[in-house]
Amino acid sequence: MTSHQQHPGEQGPAEDPARPGEDLAALLDRLLAEAPGKTQKDLATEAGISYPTLNAWINRTRGTSRIDPDRLRDLVAAFRKWGVAVTPREMFAAAGRPVPGRTDVQREERLLRLYRQLPEDKQRDALKYVDALFRVSHVSAQ
């Protein structure tokens, strides 16, 4: 199992890292305690993770080094839906993992959302700009 532990006086890798010595199991236990009435089964269902898998992480009988980053994000989303404050950075740190950047899908969705909010003339300008960027990057790549 992989866990992120800090030594006294050591700076954490993030602005809001897991508490010193708090691995994923400890973080999940603490966050569940902050979600009154919610159980491991509720969390597994809400996050789309099988209960046996979640239970194994919490009981430290299954390692965390290969957890799909999307599952860690799903855990964060579930806790936030329940009003429990947790950040992806905190969840990834507790799992001993670096926080990856946004996924390609997330970037594309954001770009499309922003594009759709623009007035039509600005959409045309945006397309011209992206076309120019593509031409410049395509030419320099050759």
Side-chain angles (χ1 to χ4, degrees):
M1 172 181 62
T2 302
S3 68
H4 176 77
Q5 296 194 359
Q6 296 175 343
H7 301 288
E10 179 183 351
Q11 288 289 57
E15 302 162 7
D16 50 357
R19 293 177 181 176
E22 189 174 50
D23 65 359
L24 185 63
L27 176 66
L28 293 174
D29 275 339
R30 178 171 60 82
L31 296 175
L32 274 169
E34 294 175 22
K38 299 298 182 180
T39 66
Q40 287 183 25
K41 286 185 180 183
D42 295 330
L43 179 59
T45 300
E46 188 68 41
I49 297 168
S50 76
Y51 171 71
T53 297
L54 178 68
N55 185 265
W57 293 339
I58 291 174
N59 290 316
R60 296 181 178 90
T61 58
R62 176 183 257 176
T64 61
S65 65
R66 294 183 185 232
I67 297 175
D68 183 326
D70 287 336
R71 298 299 69 83
L72 294 172
R73 288 186 184 97
D74 293 340
L75 289 167
V76 170
F79 281 115
R80 286 180 170 178
K81 182 176 178 181
W82 296 339
V84 177
V86 63
T87 65
R89 185 176 306 275
E90 186 177 12
M91 189 68 68
F92 277 81
R97 307 275 302 278
V99 180
R102 292 182 178 209
T103 65
D104 290 342
V105 170
Q106 288 171 316
R107 283 193 301 268
E108 289 172 4
E109 287 172 350
R110 179 170 182 248
L111 183 60
L112 186 55
R113 189 172 51 254
L114 291 170
Y115 174 81
R116 287 179 175 160
Q117 293 174 17
L118 293 171
E120 190 174 330
D121 62 320
K122 297 299 180 188
Q123 288 178 353
R124 282 193 295 273
D125 291 344
L127 287 174
K128 288 177 190 174
Y129 178 72
V130 171
D131 282 338
L133 282 176
F134 177 76
R135 282 193 299 275
V136 168
S137 66
H138 186 66
V139 169
S140 64
Q142 292 180 349

